[in-house]
């Protein structure tokens, strides 16, 4: 595991398109595997991505289910359809950290970032609900194309957790 030190940055609103769903920790790949479909949807409409693909975690109950979107940023808001929906990642302050290595290590990286924030008295943009932790914005952005770099130990993933302001 090789994460960078967490830092706090400010992000502007970012339009995106995504395919969402509900999965478990064991079936998370069902959503992650939809990222190529989002790229294909954009390409079929002549829309260029405006950044790396991501998973957005909207509701998390680690023992039960996760509500996740597989998304791709776009330059301007675009209409969706029955499969791909538009959205906007909200502006605000985010704690970010970059991890170099296998996605299998991300659970421990997330734990370390949450502890780092707790030690500093930071408040996350999240609330406890009967369905689980509801996050205003929590992302994993995949900066490495696995087709070009199949060695997972070299994959770069940026985590971003929105802070409550």
């Amino acid at each position: 595991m090789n994460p960078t030190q967490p830092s706090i940055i400010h992000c502007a609103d970012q339009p995106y398109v995504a395919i969402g769903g509900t999965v478990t920790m064991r079936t998370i790949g069902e959503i992650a595997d939809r990222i190529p479909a989002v790229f294909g949807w954009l390409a079929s409409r002549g829309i260029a991505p405006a950044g790396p693909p991501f998973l957005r975690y909207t509701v998390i109950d680690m023992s039960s289910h996760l509500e996740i979107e597989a998304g791709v940023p776009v330059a301007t808001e675009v209409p969706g359809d029955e499969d791909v929906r538009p959205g906007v990642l909200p502006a605000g302050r985010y704690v970010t950290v970059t991890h170099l290595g296998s996605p299998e290590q991300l659970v421990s990286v997330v734990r370390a970032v949450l502890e780092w924030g707790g030690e500093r008295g930071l408040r996350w943009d999240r609330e406890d609900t009967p369905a689980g932790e509801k996050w205003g914005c929590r992302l994993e952005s995949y900066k490495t194309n696995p087709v070009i770099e199949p060695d997972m130990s070299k994959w770069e993933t940026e985590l971003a957790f929105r802070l409550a302001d």
Side-chain angles (χ1 to χ4, degrees), residues 32-103:
D33 291 346
R34 300 300 308 269
I35 289 172
V38 178
F39 277 117
W41 186 90
L42 288 170
S44 72
R45 288 158 176 76
I47 302 169
F54 60 82
L55 291 183
R56 180 179 185 183
Y57 294 79
T58 56
V59 176
I60 300 172
D61 180 342
M62 294 290 279
S63 64
S64 175
H65 70 282
L66 308 157
E67 293 178 25
I68 301 176
E69 294 178 318
V72 176
V74 291
T76 60
E77 292 184 47
V78 298
D81 63 20
E82 64 278 354
D83 295 320
V84 176
R85 60 182 175 228
V88 176
L89 302 175
R93 292 184 320 132
Y94 286 77
V95 171
T96 65
V97 66
T98 299
H99 168 68
L100 182 63
S102 171

Side-chain angles (χ1 to χ4, degrees), residues 1-147:
M1 178 169 51
N2 184 16
T4 60
Q5 280 297 107
S7 60
I8 298 175
I9 63 170
H10 187 274
C11 296
D13 284 341
Q14 175 62 64
Y16 71 95
V17 293
I19 296 173
T22 301
V23 295
T24 67
M25 285 299 291
R26 289 181 177 247
T27 62
I28 200 166
E30 292 174 9
I31 294 296
D33 291 346
R34 300 300 308 269
I35 289 172
V38 178
F39 277 117
W41 186 90
L42 288 170
S44 72
R45 288 158 176 76
I47 302 169
F54 60 82
L55 291 183
R56 180 179 185 183
Y57 294 79
T58 56
V59 176
I60 300 172
D61 180 342
M62 294 290 279
S63 64
S64 175
H65 70 282
L66 308 157
E67 293 178 25
I68 301 176
E69 294 178 318
V72 176
V74 291
T76 60
E77 292 184 47
V78 298
D81 63 20
E82 64 278 354
D83 295 320
V84 176
R85 60 182 175 228
V88 176
L89 302 175
R93 292 184 320 132
Y94 286 77
V95 171
T96 65
V97 66
T98 299
H99 168 68
L100 182 63
S102 171
E104 294 171 359
Q105 300 165 331
L106 289 172
V107 170
S108 60
V109 175
V110 167
R111 187 177 308 114
V113 171
L114 295 174
E115 288 173 5
W116 180 89
E119 291 166 359
R120 285 154 182 79
L122 300 175
R123 288 187 326 106
W124 306 111
D125 180 12
R126 64 167 286 282
E127 63 178 303
D128 291 323
T129 72
E133 295 176 358
K134 183 177 180 182
W135 284 81
C137 195
R138 178 170 160 176
L139 303 172
E140 291 177 5
S141 296
Y142 304 105
K143 299 196 169 199
T144 304
N145 183 335
V147 173

